[in-house]
Every structure is written in C-alpha cells, then in structure tokens.
C-alpha cells in the first residue's frame, strides 16, 4: 500500500495530485477525525493507494504516515524540484548527513526505499515528455522521521514546469506505475561523493540490477565533517538504506577507512557492474577461491552451474589463441566457464578459472578452433595440443640465391619468384613449424 502526500503549499504538488485523480478511479470519503490541514478532510483511495493533502510544505511534515488509515508499505511525496536544471523529473530520499538546514534532524535519515526508487525512475523515463531529463538526486532536506520507507518524486525545475500539465501527468503516471513494488530488494548500496545529481549512482540504476539507497554528495560530506568522527551518522545512513555495501565516488581514504571500521564493504563501480545478475553468495565464494573482481575476476556464462571446480587455464594454448583472435578466445573462455581470472582491464584471460561439467574440455576444443585460423593442423592428444604449419624459411631462400628484399616478401606471402631464370616456389623455401601446448 502506497500513501501519497500532496502539499497545498506546493503548486507542482497540487498539479501532480490533480493528474493522479484524473488518471485513475478513486473512492472519496471524509476523515472528520483529523484537521483538513493535517491530511484530514477529503481522502482519496483506490487499490494500492491512498492520497491525502496537507497544508504545510513536505519538508515541514514530521511523519505524515500517521495520517493514513491504510497500513502503508511506502510513502511518496509528490513535489516540485527547484534548481537551474531545466525540465527535470527526479526522485530522491530525505535526510541530513550534516546540519538540518531544510527540515528534519541533523545526522538522521528517513527510511529509504531503493527498489521503489529504481522502479519509479524507470517509469519516469518511460513517461517523461520529450523535453524532460530524468535523474536522481543525493539525499538532502527533511523530513527524517517518517515511520515507513519514503521518497520524493519531483517535477522541476521552475514555474514553467510546475505549471506544465504534461510534466505533472508524467510524474503522476510514474507513481501509479509502482503499484505493488516492494520498497527493498536484495541488492542495495549506499553512495558517497560526486555531484548533487549523482550521475554515477544514476548509472548504477540504469545499467545494473543494483539499487541505491541514501547518497551523500560532496557538499553533504563536507557538511558532515570528518568521517571518523561521524561514524554514527554513516551507520544510520546504511541502516536507513537496508544496505551493507558502499560505492564511493573519488579517492576518499579517510571515508573508506571509517566505513570499513563500521563493518561496511567499499566496492568499486566495476564490482557493481560485474556482479549484476550474479548470486551474491557465489560472488563471495568465487572471490575467495579465484581472485577478487577488482583484481580481474569475471563471470562466465555457466555462472548458475550447481557445482564447479577451480582449475588452471591452459595458459600457453590460451595465450596463442588470444594472439590470433582475442575476441574469439575470450568468448570461448566466457562461454565455457563459471568464472575466470583476467588482466588488462578484463580484456585477457589468464591464470585460474572455475569450470563445471565438461566446460574445460569444451574450452580446449574452442581454443583449438581458434588456432586453426593460423595453423595447418591442430591435434589434441594425450594431454597436449600440437599445432603445425609451414612457414617461410629465410635460410632456405638464401640457399636458392633469393636476394633479401621484395622477393623475400613475395615468398613469405605465398607467391613464387624468378631467380636467374629459375622459379622458386614458396614450398621450396618453407619448413614445418610445430608447437606443443600442455592442456
């Protein structure tokens, strides 16, 4: 059940509320037990939603959830967004890493709803008029005391947009789109650093299956002060986000140390991207058994295998295959393994891998196929792969009297040449090259 808070002191909020009432069928009733200014009076309800209006601005409401009759799972404040950002639809959580200059309590946070925020941002992207951008904001302003998970969903960024019926309708439709969405999921993190509009954390929402709870932008971290002296504030941000992982934007060793001292893991954006879709217990096991994601662990197509073993990759064969066709060789590793070790930013496989079933045998076969692009014969037998090819032999060419230079180039390219009236064919000046790779 979602409670919707409309503020009569906020023209954009009023317009969004009007669009909400237009877009769905609502039952009306009168709540005479509560003042009209405090959410009483006319109340609107439908399956999954209850809408109430308040006289005060949203940031001045301590816990509007108390006004609702329904047993709320989520509270949504429909609001204006003010700033020099043009037409913008946005969502964010409330709280204060530092002083409470705009409502709420200092160093306190409303309970976030990361899964619902992800859903509403996706809905805003689908619903936004063509001239509107969509994004998220860092945590800022009150209220900090709602007793259920909550978020602001906003129409911005000045009077032109606050009065825009299409913008208001997009926000209203996006809120209705999240009916039945739970506030939380099993992949949530807290964000630190960067600008107010949190581009790194918006990318996480857009490109991965992770959700982002509270975000402390640079200015909020500055307002908070030294991380070590504010570990209680940091801890509350994680508790209010139902998260135990941190994604930090920028080099913040003092912050990372304080977070780790509190028992929270600091992860990279690479880690977040690479673990998308991978069961977290399997991530932990493979990081312990192979290597960490930040040290080059990448996950293969067989990540869901019931069981696996960790083996050494056939590095000689693999290296030769990657030298012939890097993309094909890497695809062979990815498609036949549970996970594997990489270097050079994840572009070359090396070292160890987790394999299941016949994955290792299939990998060797796939790598042999790559070698056949270069070698005349490739044979796998008795724990080894033997590759042979005939190659141009400069010494043999000299014995035939072939002068170095263009003639050498032609023979190397498979073309015959004339030397003193005699034809020298490529096969006359080539020798067999044999390489064996242990597998």
């Amino acid at each position: 059940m979602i409670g919707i808070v409309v503020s009569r002191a906020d023209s954009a909020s009023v317009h969004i509320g009007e669009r909400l009432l237009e877009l769905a069928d609502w039952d009306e009733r009168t709540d005479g037990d509560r003042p009209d200014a405090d959410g009483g009076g006319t109340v609107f309800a439908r399956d999954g939603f209850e809408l109430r209006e308040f006289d005060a601005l949203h940031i001045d409401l301590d816990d509007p959830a108390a006004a609702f009759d329904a047993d709320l799972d989520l509270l949504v404040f429909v609001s204006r967004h003010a700033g020099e950002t043009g037409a913008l639809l946005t969502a964010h959580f409330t709280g204060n890493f530092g002083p409470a200059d705009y409502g709420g309590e200092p160093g306190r946070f409303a309970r976030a709803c990361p899964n619902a925020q992800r859903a509403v941002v996706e809905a805003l992207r689908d619903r936004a008029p063509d001239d509107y951008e969509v994004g998220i904001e860092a945590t800022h302003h009150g209220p900090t005391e709602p007793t259920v998970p909550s978020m602001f969903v906003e129409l911005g960024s000045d009077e032109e947009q606050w009065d825009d019926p299409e913008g208001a309708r997009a926000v209203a439709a996006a809120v209705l789109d999240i009916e039945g969405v739970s506030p939380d999921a099993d992949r949530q993190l807290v964000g630190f650093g960067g600008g107010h509009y949190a581009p790194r954390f918006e990318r996480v929402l857009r490109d991965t299956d992770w959700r982002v709870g509270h975000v402390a932008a640079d200015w909020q971290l500055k307002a908070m002060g030294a991380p070590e002296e504010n570990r209680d504030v940091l801890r509350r941000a994680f508790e209010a986000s139902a998260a135990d992982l941190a994604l930090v934007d920028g080099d913040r060793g003092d912050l990372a140390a304080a977070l780790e001292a509190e028992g929270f893991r600091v992860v990279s954006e690479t880690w977040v991207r690479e673990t998308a879709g991978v069961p977290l217990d399997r991530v932990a096991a493979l990081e312990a058994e192979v290597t960490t994601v930040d040290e080059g662990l990448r996950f293969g197509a067989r990540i869901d295998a019931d069981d696996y073993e960790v083996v050494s990759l056939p590095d000689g064969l693999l290296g030769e295959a990657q030298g012939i066709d890097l993309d094909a060789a890497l695809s062979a590793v990815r498609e036949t393994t549970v996970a594997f070790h990489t270097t050079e930013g994840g572009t070359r496989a090396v070292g160890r891998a987790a394999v299941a079933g016949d994955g290792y045998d299939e990998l060797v076969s796939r790598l042999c196929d790559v070698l056949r692009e270069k070698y005349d014969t490739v044979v796998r037998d008795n724990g080894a792969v033997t590759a042979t090819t005939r190659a141009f032999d400069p010494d043999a060419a000299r014995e035939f009297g072939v002068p170095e230079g263009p003639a050498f180039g032609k023979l190397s390219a498979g073309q015959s040449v004339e030397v003193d009236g005699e034809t020298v064919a490529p096969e006359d000046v080539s020798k067999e090259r044999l390489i064996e790779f242990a597998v």
Side-chain angles (χ1 to χ4, degrees):
M1 176 63 72
I2 299 174
I4 300 174
V5 178
V6 172
S7 167
R8 299 188 183 102
D10 177 342
S11 62
S13 183
V14 170
H15 293 150
I16 297 167
E18 291 170 350
R19 301 292 86 75
L20 280 161
L21 297 179
E22 290 176 0
L23 288 171
D25 294 326
W26 300 80
D27 296 325
E28 293 185 35
R29 64 178 179 81
T30 300
D31 180 358
D33 296 331
R34 179 177 294 273
D36 180 75
D38 297 330
T42 302
V43 178
F44 302 90
R46 64 181 299 271
D47 288 345
F49 295 92
E50 184 177 315
L51 184 154
R52 289 180 179 251
E53 299 175 335
F54 299 78
D55 279 357
L57 280 172
H58 303 96
I59 63 173
D60 296 324
L61 299 171
D62 289 333
D63 181 23
F68 288 79
D69 289 335
D71 184 11
L72 298 181
D73 299 296
L74 174 64
L75 197 62
V76 174
F77 298 82
V78 291
S79 170
R80 74 187 178 201
H81 167 70
E84 298 180 358
T85 51
L88 177 67
L89 308 180
T90 185
H92 71 86
F93 304 126
T94 57
N96 300 296
F97 283 87
D101 296 330
Y102 300 99
E105 297 295 326
R108 300 283 175 175
F109 306 89
R111 177 65 162 83
C113 49
N115 190 51
Q117 184 201 51
R118 175 189 175 90
V120 85
V121 170
E122 289 177 352
L124 288 172
R125 291 194 195 103
D126 291 339
R127 300 286 189 173
D130 290 342
D131 55 339
Y132 279 80
E133 298 292 329
V134 174
I136 62 171
E137 297 177 72
T139 297
H140 65 296
H141 72 63
T144 56
E145 306 308 315
T147 50
V148 299
S150 63
M151 65 178 168
F152 273 56
V153 184
E154 300 184 341
L155 170 63
S157 297
D158 58 27
E159 293 282 356
E160 179 181 355
Q161 286 80 41
W162 301 339
D163 291 336
D164 177 16
E166 294 306 313
R169 183 174 290 106
V171 174
V175 171
L176 293 175
D177 282 346
I178 65 171
E179 178 182 359
V181 173
S182 63
D184 295 315
D186 62 350
R187 294 169 177 270
Q188 302 186 167
L189 56 85
V190 179
F192 294 92
H196 179 79
Y197 293 97
R200 167 165 288 185
F201 306 106
E202 194 274 333
R203 288 198 305 270
V204 168
L205 288 186
R206 185 181 65 239
D207 298 341
T208 81
D209 60 356
W210 283 87
R211 283 76 169 163
V212 180
H214 284 287
V215 174
D218 290 341
W219 68 275
Q220 279 275 323
L221 288 172
K222 182 178 180 180
M224 179 185 74
E228 179 59 31
E229 297 174 8
N230 289 278
R231 283 165 55 176
D232 57 334
V233 176
L234 299 174
R235 185 173 59 254
R236 286 194 288 268
F238 282 87
E239 291 169 351
S241 302
D244 57 12
L245 296 178
L247 176 57
V248 178
D249 191 340
D251 184 10
R252 299 178 179 275
D254 56 344
L255 174 61
L259 293 174
E260 290 168 353
E262 284 294 314
F264 303 116
R265 181 179 179 183
V266 178
V267 298
S268 65
E269 186 173 349
T270 295
W271 189 94
V272 172
R273 289 180 176 276
E274 294 298 331
T275 59
V278 183
L280 296 182
D281 57 349
R282 179 142 291 186
V283 172
L286 289 166
E287 285 199 304
E289 295 168 354
V290 181
T291 190
T292 66
V293 170
D294 288 337
E295 291 296 323
L297 181 68
R298 295 296 182 264
F299 301 103
R302 300 189 179 182
I303 188 63
D304 295 328
D306 292 336
D307 198 11
Y308 62 83
E309 63 175 333
V310 177
V311 301
S312 295
L313 289 167
D315 282 338
L317 176 64
L318 178 58
E320 183 72 7
Q322 290 182 133
I324 297 169
D325 189 332
L326 179 58
D327 290 341
L330 193 60
S331 293
V333 176
R334 184 180 296 112
E335 292 167 14
T336 59
T337 63
V338 173
F340 54 100
H341 188 191
T342 66
T343 59
E344 300 181 27
T347 62
R348 297 185 72 90
V350 66
R352 301 200 302 163
V355 297
D358 62 353
Y360 185 85
D361 284 341
E362 184 177 344
L363 171 60
V364 171
S365 295
R366 294 273 299 271
L367 295 177
C368 287
D369 289 340
V370 176
L371 260 62
R372 291 186 178 97
E373 298 177 18
K374 175 180 178 180
Y375 291 92
D376 297 325
T377 63
V378 178
V379 178
R380 179 184 182 184
D381 188 40
N382 295 325
V385 170
T386 302
T388 60
T389 188
R390 296 196 66 83
F392 172 66
D393 182 358
D395 289 338
R398 292 187 187 97
E399 290 179 5
F400 274 88
V402 179
E404 295 187 26
F408 268 33
K410 288 182 178 181
L411 287 166
S412 179
Q415 302 175 35
S416 298
V417 298
E418 293 289 330
V419 177
D420 298 332
E422 298 290 333
T423 299
V424 179
E427 57 267 25
D428 297 330
V429 291
S430 65
K431 67 178 180 179
E432 187 174 79
R433 179 187 175 210
L434 181 148
I435 303 179
E436 187 172 275
F437 305 98
V439 294

